[in-house]
Amino acid sequence: MGSIVLNMAANMLGLGNAATPLGLKAMKELQELNEQKDTATDAMCTFLAINTSSVQIILPATVVGLMGASSSEIFITTIFATSMSTIAAIFSVKFLSKVDRFKIRQEDK
C-alpha cells in the first residue's frame, strides 16, 4: 500500500521519473498477492490505469520552464483534463472487467 501511495503522490507532484521505480515496486508487490501469476488482477489493471492517466497537481518542470510565468494560466485546465482522464481510465477498467471476453473462466485456471 505504501508504494502505491508514494507512486501516486509522485505522479501528482509531476515527478514522473521518480514515480517510475515506485510504480514498478508497487506492481511487483501486487503480483506477489496474485494467485494466477500469468494474468493481471483487477487491482493491477486499475493501478496501471490510474498511474498512466495520473492527476497532475503541480505541472512538470519542463512545462513551467517553457511557459515561464504563463504556466499559472493553465493550472485549472491541467487539473481538469488530468482528472477527466483518470475518471475515464477507471470507468474503462471497471467496464472491461465486466465484459465476458476479459473475465477469467474457472476452466482457464
Side-chain angles (χ1 to χ4, degrees), residues 2-34:
S3 296
I4 293 172
V5 171
L6 287 173
N7 175 266
M8 289 183 176
N11 275 328
M12 285 182 182
L13 296 174
L15 304 171
N17 289 337
T20 302
L22 295 168
L24 292 173
K25 184 176 180 187
M27 194 61 84
K28 189 176 187 180
E29 291 173 2
L30 286 171
Q31 179 64 15
E32 290 174 4
L33 300 173
N34 190 1

Side-chain angles (χ1 to χ4, degrees), residues 19-78:
T20 302
L22 295 168
L24 292 173
K25 184 176 180 187
M27 194 61 84
K28 189 176 187 180
E29 291 173 2
L30 286 171
Q31 179 64 15
E32 290 174 4
L33 300 173
N34 190 1
E35 294 176 3
Q36 194 171 359
K37 300 297 183 190
D38 62 342
T39 305
T41 63
D42 286 342
M44 292 170 79
C45 292
T46 303
F47 173 69
L48 183 64
I50 292 171
N51 190 25
T52 303
S53 64
S54 80
V55 174
Q56 294 281 314
I57 293 176
I58 298 177
L59 297 174
T62 53
V63 174
V64 174
L66 291 173
M67 296 186 69
S70 63
S71 65
S72 62
E73 296 172 1
I74 64 166
F75 178 73
I76 300 297
T77 55
T78 301

